[in-house]
Amino acid sequence: MPKESGASKAIAGVFVILTIAVIAGTVTMIVLYKTQISTLNPTPRPTVLPTTTGPPPVARLPKYLIPQRYKVFLKPQLYTRIIEVVNVTSPNQTLLFNGNSTVYFHCVQATKSIYLNSKGLTISQKLAMVRNTDLEQKIDVSALNFLDDQTDFLEIQLNEALEAGANYSLFLDFKGEISENLDALYVSTYHEGKPAYEGDTNTERFLAATNMEPTETRRVFPCFDEPEMKAEFDVTIIHRRGTTALANQKESGGSIIDEEWEYTSFHPTPKMSTYLFAFTVSEFPSTLSEHERVTIKTFARPEAIAAGHADYAANITGKILTFYEDYLKSSYKLETLYQIALPDLAPAAMENWGLITYQEGGLLFEEGVSSMLHKEMIATLIAHELAHQWFGNLVTMKWWNDIWLNEGFATYMTYFAVDHVEPTFQMKDTFVIRDLHTAFEADSLASSHPLSPPQDDVQTNDEIIEMFDSITYSKGAMMLRMLEDFVGESAFYKGVKKYLSDFEYKNTDQNDLWECIQKDESINIEVATVMNTWTKQIGYPVITINTTDGAITQKHFLFNDSSESSLLWHIPIRYMSNISEPDQISWFETSAERKTEFISKNGEWILANVNCTGYYRVNYNLENWERLLTQLERDPHRIPLMNRGQLIDDAFNLARAKLVDVTLALNSTRFLRNERAYLPWESAVRNLEYFVLMFDRSEVYGPMQAYLREQVKGLYTFFKNYTDHSEVPKAHSLQYNQIIAIEVACSNGLPECIEMASAMFAHWMNNNNTANLIHPNLRSVIYCQAMAAGGMKEWEFAWNKFQSSSDTSEKEQLRAALSCTKKIWLLNRYLGYTLDPEKIRLMDVASTINYIAKNAAGQALAWNFVRAHWDYVRQVDAAMLIERVTRRFSTQFELEELERFATDYDLGAATREVNQAIEQTKVNIQWVGEHKDIILEWFEGVTAL
């Protein structure tokens, strides 16, 4: 933030807005506005209203008042620019806002108290007004009380009771502070142009934006801040002249108020949940997208728009929207769709209805600088957020325990949308495997949670935030994929379309989805009975098939073999053999039985869970494992591509759970020396990363590196001609595998790889005034390996480039690469930079620390730093921070430190993740103790051949 950003002008006078009438759908207003500016002293803290500790009847808002419409006026007093003029006193930046709201609601049960949510707002009791809108009668307010608990309840006590069946309005006048922490209504900063001299602040720009999900709208105006309490929002933003205000709906009118202020009004939104409310005030221009009906605009920094960096996003957005409209047989409900690339945003993106916000890196692409693979990330992110316009915005979960209905559907729909708009990417299988493995990893601990837990388990704000994890997103998508596979594509989509049409503008729980799908007459199973075993229980099963006698068992898969579980699932098993095709499903619902279809009658191998349509792992008798691994070495293409990767993943994770010998898992990687496909290599590298984390500080690491050097030589050579000439293959998956080849080869000490990376980076350093010749696809891995092999000179060159670059993609690659140095003092310096938002933006703090923790040289530094600065670093994605920083923990000392951290610190939304880290550390300690010698012997044996 700029100097004196915490100070604000003292405002005296009165801010009054009167809405005169609504005629023929056009909002006409008269704004009576009077203000005086006194001396530039900071505004003293507002008086806080009295509170009471008495809780309401329930922890949630009572259901006896049903909101129908909000009329909201908001005035953020932020300056978007402060230009210093000689001999003229510049105004101080002000981080205040004020406004008023009127909520119209229906009373279904008589009451003398109105409960709604409010947090951090100063509300005028004197101006509070309740009216019976049926009779046009005023009801006096006797008191306003903030409840001193986690509910953020504002209780408005009345002199007389509201009557059941009547309609009312509540007017409140309030003021609050614009946040600097990327939540609620917050300030974001950027530079336009380059400073003319050191300390020049004239290039600094500010904008106001919102980030409401899940429970931040109550910090902008008092509201019924629960997803089931949908209402229309009629919004007017008062903003400084020369700025542009955007909101969920299109503009309905506006006018200049005086020489400093103007207002913009917007059409009322459809009925929607409060967390989707959004607006921005900025100086951003836009670029148009093509769509036959909807006006689509993408907003970004002026320099980015002028340079065409938003063109790719603008080009595909209309196509993705049209795809969803056709695919779901449901039109997008608004006339406008705005997207805005924000310099600061806590999540990667947010699906606000009609005004989708993105981090800049999620929307901007610069030809010749951004990686070609970055297009995939942009397309994926846009597809995810546009899917939410139906799944989440149009049809919304009743409560946060079923947030997977939003996020699981958005994740799953993304596979098809990206495949449609960018068919050459051929990424559907890769997306599936990524989400499957991401979900498996988190769901393998006893401290996991059900996909759809009871509502009572998700009450506080921290508990709600904890639901936004890989279980909700990735497992949710895998549940839908499995459901579609066993009911059939036609029945599934017929049910989904019915779900959207029956519940538009309404709220649902998962039972509504099951019932819609069950309606199809072709389905002969009880959908709810099957799916509830997957969504209401934690974890997932491992099935074990003995191909000699057809015996099959299931048990809860857990890394911790001492955990007890009696859970059972209804499991659809799609299977094949080397003499049959995967054309049928066998159902398995008990703990153990025999199935003749799983008997190997002529020595053939049998493969279960073909194409990984089921959310479970598969173990076999040793003979069948050996047949499958032999097939991988002789002719891997006989086994479906997804299963080639999954066999490796199952083998390694079964070994981690001590269900198979660890040498079987290691043997599953032998075929990779001749493998060129991406999925098997991705699976192997990801699983071997656990071995690296456990053993890169021990004597196992040397032989492990020697083995990986040998295995990757063929892959590295396959891409060598491309790499040496800084070129990439055309196929999308091969571009990914080229990066894997360089990363594995360099990080495991292949001399020619290290020399190549160092030489390319040195050429860039030595020709600083010419174009960077490193291909954009390869920059992330080349930069990182050059940092690892280099020293201070390389690091400071990269840091200077990071600071001076205006390209979002280039900055991201450099920010990650700076963590790759092996110099501890440089890593320590880099950690210190994360405390300065002028160096590392708050939204990037957690990921920067995570990058450093991934480096063996930086892991202990990062852990100490997190504890020393917990209150600051926890502000954005504390759960991910804990998960990444503790991944290497495998000693008793580290466990005791982690347990002490859990006891001594306020964990907030990271509570579940800390408990999972403790469980995982205990598993790691036991596993390393039992397997270290065996693994060392295996690596020494294969490298001695």
Side-chain angles (χ1 to χ4, degrees):
M1 293 300 296
K3 61 179 180 176
E4 299 181 75
S5 62
S8 57
K9 292 189 300 183
I11 304 293
V14 180
F15 166 52
V16 181
I17 301 174
L18 299 176
T19 301
I20 299 300
V22 179
I23 301 174
T26 302
V27 178
T28 306
M29 23 175 247
I30 298 176
V31 178
L32 302 177
Y33 176 85
K34 184 172 69 176
T35 187
Q36 287 180 312
I37 298 177
S38 61
T39 57
L40 301 177
N41 295 318
T43 301
R45 278 203 172 273
T47 304
V48 178
L49 289 173
T51 62
T52 176
T53 56
V58 291
R60 297 261 299 280
L61 286 173
K63 302 293 187 186
Y64 46 72
L65 301 178
I66 309 299
Q68 297 170 326
R69 180 168 64 93
Y70 293 86
K71 194 166 187 63
V72 182
F73 296 90
L74 292 166
K75 179 187 174 186
Q77 297 178 22
L78 183 82
Y79 288 92
T80 55
R81 60 174 70 190
I82 300 175
I83 304 300
E84 295 186 0
V85 180
V86 177
N87 296 326
V88 176
T89 302
S90 299
N92 290 340
Q93 182 60 280
T94 175
L95 297 182
L96 295 178
F97 71 92
N98 57 307
N100 61 62
S101 64
T102 304
V103 56
Y104 298 85
F105 58 89
H106 181 71
C107 179
V108 296
Q109 179 181 326
T111 178
K112 289 187 69 174
S113 292
I114 298 173
Y115 285 105
L116 64 166
N117 300 107
S118 179
K119 184 176 183 180
L121 297 174
T122 300
I123 300 174
S124 170
Q125 179 173 334
K126 182 179 179 180
L127 295 177
M129 182 187 303
V130 176
R131 295 184 66 85
N132 182 319
T133 56
D134 297 329
L135 303 175
E136 290 299 324
Q137 291 179 347
K138 180 181 176 182
I139 299 172
D140 290 333
V141 174
S142 59
L144 267 64
N145 298 316
F146 290 109
L147 301 192
D148 190 17
D149 56 24
Q150 295 188 64
T151 63
D152 298 331
F153 280 0
L154 167 64
E155 180 190 14
I156 300 171
Q157 296 177 356
L158 308 174
N159 285 338
E160 59 184 273
L162 306 180
E163 298 177 1
N167 297 298
Y168 297 89
S169 67
L170 166 65
F171 173 89
L172 294 172
D173 185 89
F174 51 83
K175 55 186 174 181
E177 296 182 5
I178 299 173
S179 172
E180 297 180 81
N181 298 323
L182 311 186
D183 49 15
L185 172 58
Y186 69 93
V187 61
S188 176
T189 65
Y190 64 99
H191 286 270
E192 187 175 353
K194 295 187 179 297
Y197 53 88
E198 187 173 349
D200 177 17
T201 62
N202 286 344
T203 61
E204 202 158 24
R205 301 290 182 266
F206 308 88
L207 63 87
T210 56
N211 184 39
M212 304 301 201
E213 192 177 32
T215 57
E216 298 298 315
T217 310
R218 64 192 64 175
R219 294 178 58 184
V220 178
F221 60 93
C223 56
F224 296 89
D225 202 7
E226 294 189 0
E228 196 170 6
M229 293 190 168
K230 290 189 171 185
E232 296 178 0
F233 294 82
D234 184 347
V235 183
T236 296
I237 305 297
I238 298 166
H239 51 102
R240 295 193 185 274
R241 288 183 60 179
T243 62
T244 300
L246 303 174
N248 300 90
Q249 269 281 35
K250 71 175 183 178
E251 180 179 332
S252 63
S255 182
I256 294 172
I257 299 170
D258 59 22
E259 62 182 13
E260 193 171 3
W261 298 97
E262 60 182 297
Y263 73 86
T264 304
S265 298
F266 301 89
H267 286 284
T269 70
K271 282 184 65 177
M272 69 180 196
S273 301
T274 49
Y275 75 87
L276 296 170
F277 179 90
F279 75 93
T280 63
V281 176
S282 73
E283 298 181 13
F284 282 8
S286 65
T287 187
L288 275 168
S289 298
E290 290 186 10
H291 192 275
E292 62 181 15
R293 184 178 53 83
V294 180
T295 300
I296 303 174
K297 294 182 179 181
T298 300
F299 292 79
R301 288 179 289 107
E303 292 173 344
I305 293 294
H309 297 171
D311 289 354
Y312 176 71
N315 180 49
I316 64 172
T317 299
K319 297 175 183 177
I320 293 174
L321 190 69
T322 299
F323 167 78
Y324 281 137
E325 291 184 314
D326 293 341
Y327 195 61
L328 300 171
K329 299 296 185 273
S330 172
S331 62
Y332 173 72
K333 303 305 179 185
L334 306 184
E335 295 180 27
T336 55
L337 172 63
Y338 297 152
Q339 304 183 118
I340 184 166
L342 296 172
D344 300 282
L345 182 66
M350 178 58 207
E351 66 267 17
N352 317 297
W353 208 348
L355 177 57
I356 306 174
T357 52
Y358 298 82
Q359 291 181 3
E360 283 192 332
L363 213 56
L364 303 183
F365 181 87
E366 182 179 352
E367 292 288 347
V369 176
S370 302
S371 163
M372 292 162 65
L373 300 176
H374 190 62
K375 284 187 175 181
E376 177 205 312
M377 191 268 274
I378 294 173
T380 300
L381 204 53
I382 292 174
H384 184 99
E385 303 311 318
L386 291 189
H388 273 309
Q389 307 305 298
W390 285 266
F391 300 99
N393 299 7
L394 182 63
V395 180
T396 314
M397 75 283 155
K398 290 179 179 176
W399 185 244
W400 299 104
N401 64 310
D402 269 332
I403 184 63
W404 82 269
L405 292 172
N406 287 20
E407 301 300 349
F409 259 118
T411 302
Y412 190 49
M413 290 296 115
T414 295
Y415 305 159
F416 305 98
V418 174
D419 199 48
H420 172 81
V421 76
E422 292 286 10
T424 61
F425 286 2
Q426 298 182 327
M427 290 301 293
K428 191 188 294 184
D429 288 353
T430 301
F431 289 158
V432 169
I433 288 295
R434 284 178 187 169
D435 280 313
L436 179 66
H437 293 166
T438 298
F440 272 166
E441 182 76 15
D443 220 10
S444 299
L445 298 171
S447 52
S448 182
H449 67 86
L451 187 60
S452 179
Q455 285 195 16
D456 288 346
D457 291 353
V458 186
Q459 292 292 313
T460 68
N461 189 52
D462 287 341
E463 290 167 346
I464 292 169
I465 292 173
E466 285 180 332
M467 289 298 296
F468 289 82
D469 63 3
S470 56
I471 300 295
T472 291
Y473 288 76
S474 298
K475 183 177 181 178
M478 293 302 97
M479 290 300 98
L480 296 170
R481 182 170 182 264
M482 182 171 68
L483 175 60
E484 180 187 356
D485 183 65
F486 71 72
V487 301
E489 182 180 356
S490 175
F492 178 78
Y493 278 97
K494 191 182 298 182
V496 169
K497 286 173 231 177
K498 181 175 178 56
Y499 173 76
L500 290 175
S501 62
D502 286 1
F503 295 100
E504 63 179 26
Y505 306 115
K506 298 176 185 176
N507 296 79
T508 63
D509 58 30
Q510 63 173 17
N511 292 324
D512 297 312
L513 177 61
W514 308 151
E515 289 173 9
C516 287
I517 291 175
Q518 190 73 62
K519 296 289 185 183
D520 193 281
E521 295 178 355
S522 68
I523 299 174
N524 56 13
I525 59 172
E526 289 292 328
V527 172
T529 301
V530 172
M531 292 306 297
N532 285 343
T533 67
W534 298 94
T535 61
K536 292 189 174 182
Q537 300 181 152
I538 68 167
Y540 60 93
V542 53
I543 63 170
T544 300
I545 299 174
N546 188 328
T547 60
T548 60
D549 61 4
I552 179 172
T553 62
Q554 66 162 295
K555 64 175 288 189
H556 185 181
F557 180 85
L558 291 165
F559 286 144
N560 187 349
D561 63 345
S562 64
S563 297
E564 296 290 332
S565 176
S566 58
L567 300 179
L568 293 175
W569 288 262
H570 291 246
I571 307 172
I573 306 173
R574 192 173 290 279
Y575 61 94
M576 65 176 288
S577 73
N578 53 331
I579 58 173
S580 70
E581 296 300 321
D583 58 354
Q584 55 188 331
I585 291 177
S586 177
W587 282 94
F588 179 38
E589 302 167 1
T590 62
S591 60
E593 58 184 273
R594 293 182 186 275
K595 290 180 175 287
T596 57
E597 58 263 40
F598 294 136
I599 296 176
S600 175
K601 300 175 181 62
N602 298 301
E604 72 272 18
W605 51 257
I606 290 175
L607 179 72
N609 199 16
V610 175
N611 288 321
C612 310
T613 53
Y615 185 70
Y616 54 88
R617 296 195 181 280
V618 186
N619 193 7
Y620 305 96
N621 55 307
L622 185 58
E623 293 84 357
N624 197 63
W625 268 116
E626 289 174 345
R627 291 173 188 144
L628 288 167
L629 295 184
T630 299
Q631 183 71 64
L632 284 176
E633 291 213 55
R634 291 179 178 174
D635 181 15
H637 299 282
R638 183 67 187 88
I639 295 176
L641 177 61
M642 294 179 75
N643 287 100
R644 300 206 308 260
Q646 191 55 39
L647 282 169
I648 295 173
D649 193 73
D650 279 345
F652 271 89
N653 283 279
L654 291 168
R656 285 177 64 178
K658 294 181 279 191
L659 296 176
V660 301
D661 194 286
V662 70
T663 58
L664 184 147
L666 292 168
N667 285 330
S668 74
T669 66
R670 286 176 176 268
F671 82 100
L672 290 174
R673 70 174 69 92
N674 299 314
E675 180 64 81
R676 301 296 176 261
Y678 169 66
L679 285 181
W681 267 102
E682 186 278 334
S683 182
V685 169
R686 182 173 31 76
N687 279 287
L688 283 167
E689 183 184 9
Y690 179 72
F691 284 58
V692 172
L693 292 171
M694 294 301 99
F695 299 119
D696 64 0
R697 298 173 290 177
S698 76
E699 66 272 24
V700 176
Y701 194 47
M704 186 191 306
Q705 285 187 301
Y707 173 71
L708 291 174
R709 278 197 303 273
E710 288 302 311
Q711 291 299 93
V712 80
K713 272 184 180 178
L715 189 68
Y716 184 80
T717 302
F718 178 77
F719 293 109
K720 191 175 190 308
N721 192 51
Y722 287 111
T723 304
D724 287 351
H725 293 88
S726 199
E727 297 172 350
V728 300
K730 290 184 179 180
H732 206 67
S733 62
L734 287 180
Q735 291 176 24
Y736 272 111
N737 231 19
Q738 181 184 20
I739 294 172
I740 282 182
I742 297 170
E743 184 174 5
V744 174
C746 282
S747 61
N748 288 287
L750 189 67
E752 58 190 291
C753 180
I754 297 172
E755 291 168 8
M756 175 275 301
S758 299
M760 282 191 179
F761 195 81
H763 183 271
W764 183 32
M765 287 178 60
N766 296 331
N767 297 273
N768 191 19
N769 295 324
T770 60
N772 183 352
L773 299 180
I774 304 173
H775 192 283
N777 272 33
L778 306 180
R779 288 180 185 177
S780 60
V781 66
I782 297 296
Y783 291 175
C784 178
Q785 298 306 324
M787 290 299 103
M792 182 178 70
K793 182 174 68 172
E794 289 79 7
W795 196 91
E796 291 193 335
F797 174 81
W799 173 252
N800 290 333
K801 284 292 184 183
F802 170 78
Q803 287 188 299
S804 62
S805 176
S806 60
D807 178 74
T808 304
S809 179
E810 180 75 348
K811 288 179 76 73
E812 282 299 297
Q813 294 181 104
L814 287 164
R815 185 169 63 86
L818 287 162
S819 70
C820 298
T821 180
K822 302 301 181 185
K823 308 297 183 185
I824 291 176
W825 66 274
L826 286 173
L827 292 172
N828 210 38
R829 176 200 287 182
Y830 197 23
L831 283 168
Y833 287 172
T834 65
L835 299 177
D836 183 354
E838 293 291 327
K839 292 184 170 69
I840 302 294
R841 291 180 180 272
L842 179 60
M843 69 177 186
D844 295 327
V845 167
S847 58
T848 302
I849 297 171
N850 293 339
Y851 291 146
I852 295 169
K854 186 178 179 181
N855 185 340
Q859 190 274 323
L861 294 174
W863 171 232
N864 290 336
F865 186 83
V866 165
R867 288 179 292 172
H869 303 283
W870 177 244
D871 285 344
Y872 182 76
V873 303
R874 65 181 289 192
Q875 292 181 83
V876 178
D877 215 342
M880 180 186 71
L881 186 62
I882 292 298
E883 189 269 328
R884 300 294 172 82
V885 170
T886 62
R887 293 180 77 192
R888 212 179 241 101
F889 283 11
S890 56
T891 67
Q892 187 62 35
F893 176 73
E894 288 167 329
L895 174 62
E896 290 170 0
E897 283 197 320
L898 187 53
E899 290 174 331
R900 193 175 302 115
F901 177 74
T903 302
D904 295 347
Y905 287 74
D906 177 13
L907 304 179
T911 300
R912 177 186 289 152
E913 194 58 59
V914 171
N915 291 333
Q916 289 183 328
I918 290 171
E919 181 185 353
Q920 184 64 64
T921 302
K922 290 177 180 177
V923 170
N924 293 346
I925 291 169
Q926 185 178 6
W927 190 84
V928 168
E930 294 175 0
H931 293 90
K932 180 180 176 181
D933 293 341
I934 299 170
I935 293 168
L936 176 60
E937 182 181 349
W938 190 90
F939 279 122
E940 287 179 336
V942 294
T943 53
L945 297 177

